[in-house]
Amino acid sequence: MASAAEQLASNLNFSTFAKAEDLKKRLWFTLGALLVYRLGTHIPLPGLNPAAYAQAFQNQSGGILGLFNMFSGGAVQRMAIFALGIMPYISASIIVQLMTSVVPSLENLKKEGEQGRKIINQYTRYGTVLLGALQAYGIAIGLEHGNGVVVDPGWFFRISTVITLLGGTMFLMWLGEQVTSRGIGNGISLIIFAGIAAGLPTALAGTLELGRTGALSTGLILAVLVVAVLVIALIVFVERAQRRLLIQYPKRQVGTRMFQGDTSHLPLKLNTSGVIPAIFASSLLLLPATVAGLGNNTALPGWVTSIVAALGHGQPVYMVLYGALIAFFAFFYTALVFNPKDTADNLKKHGGFIPGIRPGERTAEYIDYVLTRITVIGAIYLVFVCILPEILVSQTGIPLSLGGTSLLIVVSVTLDTVAQIQGHLIAQQYEGLIKKSKLRGGKRGR
């Protein structure tokens, strides 16, 4: 089956794409949804002084605001209605998924299949509303503390800001779900991808401008670009890498016919967790600064100010925690999306087995052993890819959009989307072959 799929994939051409009407509709829907998102990042929040806010953002763009701005596609720089972006939803997903491993009732819901998943998704939406409201209120308070940023400070501005920003986040959450079901790719990941990709030309132009003015040497810029290309090549290689476990099926008899035993493979991705650990780790590290923004920074205790400063982008503590969280979520998310026991039970149910390994519990232990070993490699790869460019950014002053997390997200989402497009084309070609065979069978019957 795998070789047949690979053969079909190699035979795909433009004529196959031209006939794939459903795929074209999905692509147009996805592009339209991303266009709506990009338009929303240019609609400003009411009640602000644009000049004063631009000055305030310029003073803080190298820190936490720069990271927020990267994930929101420039909406923070313009303080648009989508300034919160999709990060409250990501944070709520982290909390709910952690609770599914701790709270027995949620763990049982996860085992109930589609119905349980719908209930868990509903809890995630409730968490998004709570976290989004909290972060929006923190942004409103922080804006009021700016020097002339808010035209008319007060409760009306705070309430309107919370409603506007929270509404923008909920709309993006809904838009992402629509893209996932009616478009191509994962909607939430594509929204983050679109935001980062929109900032890359500006970041590249800013880097070249620093080189023109002499702030950065030409050799340093070329070296950073070479490192970026090598990191992209590493991401492509690892994201496509698999550890294939040989699966054998015994001979079986159906009626009077004896079918020969078959062999297959169980593919285990080297990085099963994908881009999720980098997004989860980044969103968690944003929370302390958000909480600190709930009050006047001058009134905060000294130890709180010290913690927020230590967790600033590019600081050593930030780097260590960032790497540790990425490694943790690499294992945690892999355990969530891949259950060795369920896989072993399915193999046993269909008569499949790994040569030399007894079916059932021993097979589950072996799959878990292999998965743990390759996840160690995947976690090291994620930490390296995310931390190395971040160190270069902090040491050289290269714009934040060229960081490791952004490269990982852009490349991974691109590979995933292209794979889904190819899957639709293969399905289209399969349908064409089936129709042709039916037509030939009908003619012979006549």
Side-chain angles (χ1 to χ4, degrees):
M1 179 64 72
S3 60
E6 291 171 0
Q7 182 66 30
L8 278 175
S10 63
N11 292 333
L12 294 176
N13 49 39
F14 287 108
S15 63
T16 306
F17 179 79
K19 297 175 183 177
E21 295 297 331
D22 180 66
L23 175 60
K24 287 190 285 186
K25 290 179 181 178
R26 287 178 174 271
L27 285 173
W28 281 116
F29 182 86
T30 302
L31 292 175
L34 295 180
L35 178 61
V36 170
Y37 162 64
R38 290 304 303 157
L39 289 175
T41 60
H42 289 80
I43 302 175
L45 190 71
L48 298 181
N49 182 337
Y53 177 75
Q55 181 62 39
F57 179 83
Q58 185 68 26
N59 296 335
Q60 300 292 331
S61 60
I64 196 70
L65 283 183
L67 197 57
F68 264 125
N69 192 55
M70 181 189 74
F71 282 116
S72 65
V76 173
Q77 184 177 1
R78 294 179 285 272
M79 193 44 66
I81 59 175
F82 289 162
L84 269 184
I86 206 69
M87 298 314 294
Y89 178 78
I90 299 295
S91 301
S93 299
I94 297 171
I95 296 172
V96 171
Q97 289 183 7
L98 284 171
M99 291 178 66
T100 55
S101 302
V102 178
V103 181
S105 59
L106 290 177
E107 188 175 2
N108 293 332
L109 279 176
K110 189 173 68 172
K111 296 177 181 178
E112 291 181 5
E114 183 66 20
Q115 187 62 31
R117 187 182 64 83
K118 288 181 179 179
I119 298 175
I120 291 176
N121 286 343
Q122 195 63 30
Y123 289 155
T124 303
R125 294 187 184 99
Y126 294 149
T128 302
V129 173
L130 181 62
L131 291 177
L134 180 68
Q135 293 184 13
Y137 184 74
I139 289 175
I141 296 296
L143 290 173
E144 285 189 342
H145 291 153
N147 187 15
V149 172
V150 179
V151 177
D152 186 17
W155 278 106
F156 179 78
F157 171 76
R158 298 174 191 176
I159 293 174
S160 64
T161 298
V162 170
I163 293 174
T164 303
L165 294 180
L166 180 59
T169 293
M170 299 306 294
F171 176 78
L172 288 181
M173 182 183 69
W174 173 83
L175 191 66
E177 292 175 349
Q178 294 301 308
V179 170
T180 301
S181 61
R182 301 172 59 185
I184 286 291
N186 183 285
I188 302 299
S189 298
L190 281 172
I191 287 175
I192 299 175
F193 162 84
I196 295 174
L200 289 178
T202 303
L204 184 60
T207 303
L208 296 178
E209 179 64 20
L210 290 175
R212 188 185 68 82
T213 58
L216 293 176
S217 66
T218 303
L220 178 60
I221 294 175
L222 292 176
V224 170
L225 291 177
V226 169
V227 170
V229 172
L230 292 177
V231 169
I232 291 173
L234 175 64
I235 293 172
V236 173
F237 174 78
V238 176
E239 291 299 323
R240 297 176 68 90
Q242 294 179 346
R243 169 73 160 88
R244 294 187 175 186
L245 300 181
L246 180 64
I247 305 296
Q248 287 188 347
Y249 294 91
K251 295 180 180 180
R252 63 189 188 279
Q253 184 174 357
V254 179
T256 58
R257 298 185 61 185
M258 179 68 70
F259 289 89
Q260 193 71 19
D262 194 10
T263 60
S264 181
H265 291 89
L266 175 64
L268 300 177
K269 288 189 65 176
L270 197 61
N271 178 30
T272 306
S273 56
V275 72
I276 296 298
I279 298 176
F280 278 13
S282 299
S283 62
L284 277 185
L285 289 176
L286 293 177
L287 289 180
T290 303
V291 174
L294 291 175
N296 193 337
N297 291 337
T298 59
L300 291 174
W303 62 273
V304 175
T305 306
S306 300
I307 291 176
V308 174
L311 293 178
H313 183 74
Q315 299 298 319
V317 176
Y318 171 88
M319 296 291 189
V320 172
L321 286 178
Y322 187 37
L325 286 173
I326 289 175
F328 167 76
F329 281 119
F331 283 92
F332 174 75
Y333 197 75
T334 298
L336 281 180
V337 300
F338 191 94
N339 190 324
K341 189 176 185 306
D342 291 345
T343 304
D345 290 342
N346 289 331
L347 286 175
K348 185 177 181 181
K349 186 184 302 182
H350 293 88
F353 64 94
I354 299 175
I357 307 296
R358 292 182 60 184
E361 189 66 29
R362 293 298 300 273
T363 299
E365 292 175 358
Y366 178 75
I367 294 175
D368 182 66
Y369 169 74
V370 174
L371 187 64
T372 301
R373 292 180 67 186
I374 64 175
T375 303
V376 170
I377 301 175
I380 294 173
Y381 143 77
L382 285 175
V383 172
F384 174 78
V385 165
C386 292
I387 293 296
L388 176 63
E390 296 292 333
I391 293 175
L392 293 177
V393 168
S394 62
Q395 296 297 319
T396 61
I398 298 293
L400 184 64
S401 296
L402 295 177
T405 305
S406 59
L407 285 178
L408 181 64
I409 292 173
V410 169
V411 177
S412 299
V413 174
T414 301
L415 289 174
D416 179 64
T417 305
V418 170
Q420 289 202 27
I421 293 174
Q422 190 177 53
H424 278 276
L425 291 175
I426 291 175
Q428 173 74 20
Q429 194 154 351
Y430 264 126
E431 292 177 2
L433 292 175
I434 292 173
K435 288 180 181 179
K436 288 181 180 179
S437 63
K438 287 182 178 179
L439 289 174
R440 291 172 182 172
K443 291 179 179 179
R444 290 172 183 172
R446 291 175 186 175

Short mmCIF file of all heavy atoms in Angstrom, two decimals, residues 52-95:
data_model
loop_
_atom_site.label_atom_id
_atom_site.label_comp_id
_atom_site.label_asym_id
_atom_site.label_seq_id
_atom_site.Cartn_x
_atom_site.Cartn_y
_atom_site.Cartn_z
N ALA A 52 1.66 58.39 20.24
CA ALA A 52 2.18 58.05 21.57
C ALA A 52 2.38 56.53 21.71
O ALA A 52 3.37 56.07 22.29
CB ALA A 52 1.23 58.56 22.66
N TYR A 53 1.45 55.75 21.16
CA TYR A 53 1.60 54.29 21.25
C TYR A 53 2.78 53.82 20.41
O TYR A 53 3.52 52.91 20.83
CB TYR A 53 0.33 53.59 20.79
CG TYR A 53 0.49 52.09 20.81
CD1 TYR A 53 0.46 51.39 22.01
CD2 TYR A 53 0.72 51.37 19.63
CE1 TYR A 53 0.65 50.02 22.04
CE2 TYR A 53 0.90 50.01 19.66
CZ TYR A 53 0.87 49.34 20.86
OH TYR A 53 1.07 47.98 20.89
N ALA A 54 2.97 54.40 19.23
CA ALA A 54 4.09 54.00 18.39
C ALA A 54 5.42 54.25 19.10
O ALA A 54 6.34 53.43 19.03
CB ALA A 54 4.06 54.76 17.06
N GLN A 55 5.50 55.36 19.83
CA GLN A 55 6.72 55.67 20.58
C GLN A 55 6.91 54.67 21.72
O GLN A 55 8.03 54.19 21.96
CB GLN A 55 6.64 57.09 21.13
CG GLN A 55 7.88 57.53 21.91
CD GLN A 55 9.13 57.53 21.03
OE1 GLN A 55 9.08 57.91 19.86
NE2 GLN A 55 10.25 57.10 21.60
N ALA A 56 5.81 54.35 22.42
CA ALA A 56 5.89 53.40 23.53
C ALA A 56 6.30 52.01 23.04
O ALA A 56 7.11 51.32 23.67
CB ALA A 56 4.56 53.34 24.26
N PHE A 57 5.74 51.60 21.91
CA PHE A 57 6.08 50.29 21.37
C PHE A 57 7.54 50.26 20.92
O PHE A 57 8.24 49.25 21.10
CB PHE A 57 5.18 49.94 20.20
CG PHE A 57 5.49 48.61 19.57
CD1 PHE A 57 4.99 47.44 20.10
CD2 PHE A 57 6.32 48.52 18.44
CE1 PHE A 57 5.29 46.20 19.54
CE2 PHE A 57 6.62 47.30 17.88
CZ PHE A 57 6.11 46.13 18.43
N GLN A 58 8.02 51.34 20.34
CA GLN A 58 9.41 51.41 19.88
C GLN A 58 10.38 51.21 21.04
O GLN A 58 11.41 50.56 20.91
CB GLN A 58 9.66 52.76 19.20
CG GLN A 58 11.03 52.90 18.58
CD GLN A 58 11.23 51.97 17.39
OE1 GLN A 58 10.27 51.60 16.73
NE2 GLN A 58 12.47 51.60 17.12
N ASN A 59 10.01 51.74 22.21
CA ASN A 59 10.88 51.63 23.39
C ASN A 59 10.90 50.22 23.96
O ASN A 59 11.87 49.84 24.63
CB ASN A 59 10.42 52.61 24.47
CG ASN A 59 10.57 54.06 24.03
OD1 ASN A 59 11.40 54.38 23.17
ND2 ASN A 59 9.77 54.95 24.60
N GLN A 60 9.82 49.44 23.72
CA GLN A 60 9.70 48.12 24.32
C GLN A 60 9.74 46.98 23.31
O GLN A 60 9.55 45.82 23.67
CB GLN A 60 8.37 48.02 25.10
CG GLN A 60 8.22 49.03 26.22
CD GLN A 60 9.19 48.78 27.36
OE1 GLN A 60 9.59 47.64 27.60
NE2 GLN A 60 9.60 49.84 28.04
N SER A 61 9.98 47.29 22.05
CA SER A 61 9.85 46.26 21.01
C SER A 61 10.90 45.17 21.10
O SER A 61 10.71 44.08 20.55
CB SER A 61 9.92 46.92 19.62
OG SER A 61 11.17 47.58 19.46
N GLY A 62 11.99 45.44 21.78
CA GLY A 62 13.02 44.41 21.90
C GLY A 62 12.72 43.36 22.93
O GLY A 62 13.43 42.36 23.03
N GLY A 63 11.70 43.53 23.74
CA GLY A 63 11.38 42.60 24.81
C GLY A 63 10.15 41.78 24.52
O GLY A 63 9.96 41.22 23.45
N ILE A 64 9.27 41.74 25.56
CA ILE A 64 8.11 40.87 25.48
C ILE A 64 7.13 41.32 24.40
O ILE A 64 6.46 40.49 23.78
CB ILE A 64 7.42 40.81 26.86
CG1 ILE A 64 6.46 39.62 26.93
CG2 ILE A 64 6.69 42.10 27.18
CD1 ILE A 64 7.15 38.31 26.95
N LEU A 65 7.05 42.64 24.16
CA LEU A 65 6.14 43.13 23.13
C LEU A 65 6.55 42.63 21.75
O LEU A 65 5.71 42.37 20.90
CB LEU A 65 6.08 44.65 23.14
CG LEU A 65 5.24 45.31 24.25
CD1 LEU A 65 5.23 46.82 24.08
CD2 LEU A 65 3.83 44.78 24.24
N GLY A 66 7.86 42.51 21.54
CA GLY A 66 8.33 42.00 20.26
C GLY A 66 7.90 40.57 20.02
O GLY A 66 7.53 40.18 18.91
N LEU A 67 7.92 39.75 21.10
CA LEU A 67 7.49 38.36 20.97
C LEU A 67 5.99 38.27 20.72
O LEU A 67 5.52 37.50 19.89
CB LEU A 67 7.87 37.59 22.24
CG LEU A 67 7.87 36.06 22.15
CD1 LEU A 67 8.79 35.59 21.05
CD2 LEU A 67 8.24 35.45 23.48
N PHE A 68 5.22 39.08 21.47
CA PHE A 68 3.78 39.15 21.22
C PHE A 68 3.52 39.57 19.78
O PHE A 68 2.64 39.01 19.10
CB PHE A 68 3.14 40.20 22.15
CG PHE A 68 2.54 39.61 23.40
CD1 PHE A 68 2.91 40.07 24.64
CD2 PHE A 68 1.58 38.61 23.32
CE1 PHE A 68 2.36 39.55 25.79
CE2 PHE A 68 1.02 38.09 24.45
CZ PHE A 68 1.41 38.55 25.70
N ASN A 69 4.26 40.56 19.32
CA ASN A 69 4.04 41.09 17.97
C ASN A 69 4.34 40.04 16.91
O ASN A 69 3.66 39.97 15.88
CB ASN A 69 4.92 42.32 17.76
CG ASN A 69 4.55 43.10 16.52
OD1 ASN A 69 3.40 43.50 16.35
ND2 ASN A 69 5.52 43.32 15.65
N MET A 70 5.35 39.20 17.14
CA MET A 70 5.69 38.16 16.17
C MET A 70 4.55 37.17 16.01
O MET A 70 4.16 36.82 14.90
CB MET A 70 6.96 37.43 16.62
CG MET A 70 7.41 36.34 15.66
SD MET A 70 8.74 35.31 16.33
CE MET A 70 7.85 34.33 17.54
N PHE A 71 3.96 36.72 17.12
CA PHE A 71 2.89 35.73 17.05
C PHE A 71 1.58 36.32 16.56
O PHE A 71 0.72 35.59 16.07
CB PHE A 71 2.67 35.07 18.41
CG PHE A 71 3.69 34.03 18.75
CD1 PHE A 71 4.55 34.19 19.81
CD2 PHE A 71 3.79 32.87 18.00
CE1 PHE A 71 5.50 33.22 20.13
CE2 PHE A 71 4.73 31.90 18.30
CZ PHE A 71 5.58 32.07 19.36
N SER A 72 1.41 37.63 16.70
CA SER A 72 0.15 38.26 16.29
C SER A 72 0.22 38.84 14.88
O SER A 72 -0.73 39.49 14.43
CB SER A 72 -0.24 39.36 17.27
OG SER A 72 0.70 40.42 17.24
N GLY A 73 1.32 38.65 14.19
CA GLY A 73 1.43 39.13 12.81
C GLY A 73 1.49 40.64 12.70
O GLY A 73 0.98 41.21 11.73
N GLY A 74 2.12 41.31 13.68
CA GLY A 74 2.24 42.77 13.65
C GLY A 74 1.06 43.50 14.25
O GLY A 74 1.03 44.74 14.25
N ALA A 75 0.07 42.76 14.77
CA ALA A 75 -1.12 43.41 15.34
C ALA A 75 -0.80 44.18 16.61
O ALA A 75 -1.43 45.19 16.91
CB ALA A 75 -2.20 42.36 15.62
N VAL A 76 0.19 43.72 17.39
CA VAL A 76 0.56 44.44 18.62
C VAL A 76 1.21 45.77 18.27
O VAL A 76 0.97 46.79 18.93
CB VAL A 76 1.50 43.57 19.48
CG1 VAL A 76 2.03 44.36 20.66
CG2 VAL A 76 0.77 42.33 19.98
N GLN A 77 2.04 45.77 17.25
CA GLN A 77 2.69 47.02 16.83
C GLN A 77 1.67 48.07 16.43
O GLN A 77 1.87 49.26 16.66
CB GLN A 77 3.64 46.74 15.66
CG GLN A 77 4.43 47.95 15.21
CD GLN A 77 5.41 47.60 14.11
OE1 GLN A 77 5.50 46.46 13.68
NE2 GLN A 77 6.18 48.58 13.67
N ARG A 78 0.55 47.63 15.86
CA ARG A 78 -0.52 48.56 15.48
C ARG A 78 -1.64 48.59 16.51
O ARG A 78 -2.60 49.34 16.34
CB ARG A 78 -1.10 48.13 14.12
CG ARG A 78 -0.11 48.25 12.97
CD ARG A 78 -0.72 47.79 11.67
NE ARG A 78 -0.82 46.34 11.59
CZ ARG A 78 0.14 45.54 11.13
NH1 ARG A 78 1.28 46.06 10.71
NH2 ARG A 78 -0.03 44.23 11.07
N MET A 79 -1.53 47.75 17.58
CA MET A 79 -2.57 47.58 18.59
C MET A 79 -3.93 47.43 17.91
O MET A 79 -4.87 48.19 18.12
CB MET A 79 -2.57 48.73 19.60
CG MET A 79 -3.42 48.45 20.85
SD MET A 79 -3.23 46.80 21.58
CE MET A 79 -1.54 46.83 22.16
N ALA A 80 -4.01 46.38 17.09
CA ALA A 80 -5.23 46.10 16.33
C ALA A 80 -6.18 45.23 17.14
O ALA A 80 -5.86 44.78 18.25
CB ALA A 80 -4.88 45.42 15.01
N ILE A 81 -7.35 44.98 16.59
CA ILE A 81 -8.35 44.20 17.30
C ILE A 81 -7.93 42.74 17.46
O ILE A 81 -8.47 42.02 18.30
CB ILE A 81 -9.72 44.27 16.57
CG1 ILE A 81 -9.59 43.74 15.13
CG2 ILE A 81 -10.25 45.70 16.57
CD1 ILE A 81 -10.90 43.66 14.39
N PHE A 82 -6.94 42.29 16.67
CA PHE A 82 -6.42 40.94 16.81
C PHE A 82 -5.09 40.92 17.56
O PHE A 82 -4.28 40.00 17.40
CB PHE A 82 -6.21 40.30 15.43
CG PHE A 82 -7.49 39.95 14.71
CD1 PHE A 82 -7.49 39.72 13.34
CD2 PHE A 82 -8.69 39.87 15.39
CE1 PHE A 82 -8.66 39.39 12.67
CE2 PHE A 82 -9.87 39.55 14.74
CZ PHE A 82 -9.85 39.32 13.37
N ALA A 83 -4.85 41.92 18.40
CA ALA A 83 -3.56 42.03 19.09
C ALA A 83 -3.30 40.85 20.02
O ALA A 83 -2.16 40.43 20.20
CB ALA A 83 -3.49 43.34 19.88
N LEU A 84 -4.36 40.30 20.63
CA LEU A 84 -4.17 39.12 21.49
C LEU A 84 -3.83 37.88 20.68
O LEU A 84 -3.23 36.94 21.20
CB LEU A 84 -5.45 38.85 22.30
CG LEU A 84 -5.56 39.49 23.68
CD1 LEU A 84 -6.83 39.04 24.37
CD2 LEU A 84 -4.37 39.18 24.54
N GLY A 85 -4.23 37.88 19.42
CA GLY A 85 -3.95 36.74 18.57
C GLY A 85 -4.63 35.47 19.06
O GLY A 85 -5.70 35.51 19.68
N ILE A 86 -4.00 34.36 18.84
CA ILE A 86 -4.55 33.06 19.19
C ILE A 86 -3.90 32.50 20.44
O ILE A 86 -4.22 31.38 20.88
CB ILE A 86 -4.36 32.09 17.98
CG1 ILE A 86 -5.43 30.99 18.00
CG2 ILE A 86 -2.93 31.52 17.95
CD1 ILE A 86 -6.80 31.49 17.69
N MET A 87 -3.01 33.27 21.09
CA MET A 87 -2.25 32.75 22.21
C MET A 87 -3.11 32.37 23.42
O MET A 87 -2.78 31.40 24.11
CB MET A 87 -1.16 33.75 22.63
CG MET A 87 -0.14 34.03 21.54
SD MET A 87 0.49 32.54 20.72
CE MET A 87 1.36 31.77 22.06
N PRO A 88 -4.20 33.10 23.77
CA PRO A 88 -5.05 32.61 24.87
C PRO A 88 -5.61 31.22 24.62
O PRO A 88 -5.73 30.41 25.55
CB PRO A 88 -6.17 33.66 24.95
CG PRO A 88 -5.56 34.91 24.40
CD PRO A 88 -4.64 34.44 23.30
N TYR A 89 -5.93 30.92 23.37
CA TYR A 89 -6.43 29.59 23.03
C TYR A 89 -5.32 28.55 23.21
O TYR A 89 -5.58 27.45 23.73
CB TYR A 89 -6.93 29.58 21.59
CG TYR A 89 -7.42 28.23 21.12
CD1 TYR A 89 -8.66 27.76 21.50
CD2 TYR A 89 -6.62 27.43 20.30
CE1 TYR A 89 -9.12 26.51 21.07
CE2 TYR A 89 -7.06 26.20 19.87
CZ TYR A 89 -8.30 25.75 20.26
OH TYR A 89 -8.73 24.51 19.84
N ILE A 90 -4.10 28.89 22.82
CA ILE A 90 -2.98 27.98 22.99
C ILE A 90 -2.75 27.71 24.47
O ILE A 90 -2.55 26.57 24.90
CB ILE A 90 -1.70 28.55 22.34
CG1 ILE A 90 -1.90 28.75 20.83
CG2 ILE A 90 -0.52 27.64 22.61
CD1 ILE A 90 -2.11 27.49 20.06
N SER A 91 -2.76 28.79 25.28
CA SER A 91 -2.56 28.63 26.73
C SER A 91 -3.65 27.79 27.35
O SER A 91 -3.39 26.93 28.20
CB SER A 91 -2.50 30.01 27.40
OG SER A 91 -1.46 30.80 26.86
N ALA A 92 -4.91 28.02 26.96
CA ALA A 92 -6.02 27.23 27.48
C ALA A 92 -5.88 25.76 27.08
O ALA A 92 -6.19 24.85 27.88
CB ALA A 92 -7.35 27.79 26.98
N SER A 93 -5.41 25.51 25.86
CA SER A 93 -5.20 24.13 25.41
C SER A 93 -4.15 23.43 26.28
O SER A 93 -4.31 22.26 26.63
CB SER A 93 -4.76 24.11 23.95
OG SER A 93 -5.75 24.67 23.11
N ILE A 94 -3.09 24.16 26.63
CA ILE A 94 -2.06 23.59 27.50
C ILE A 94 -2.66 23.18 28.83
O ILE A 94 -2.46 22.05 29.32
CB ILE A 94 -0.93 24.61 27.74
CG1 ILE A 94 -0.22 24.96 26.43
CG2 ILE A 94 0.07 24.07 28.75
CD1 ILE A 94 0.75 26.11 26.58
N ILE A 95 -3.41 24.09 29.44
CA ILE A 95 -3.97 23.82 30.77
C ILE A 95 -4.94 22.65 30.73
O ILE A 95 -4.88 21.74 31.58
CB ILE A 95 -4.68 25.09 31.30
CG1 ILE A 95 -3.65 26.21 31.50
CG2 ILE A 95 -5.41 24.80 32.60
CD1 ILE A 95 -4.27 27.56 31.83
#
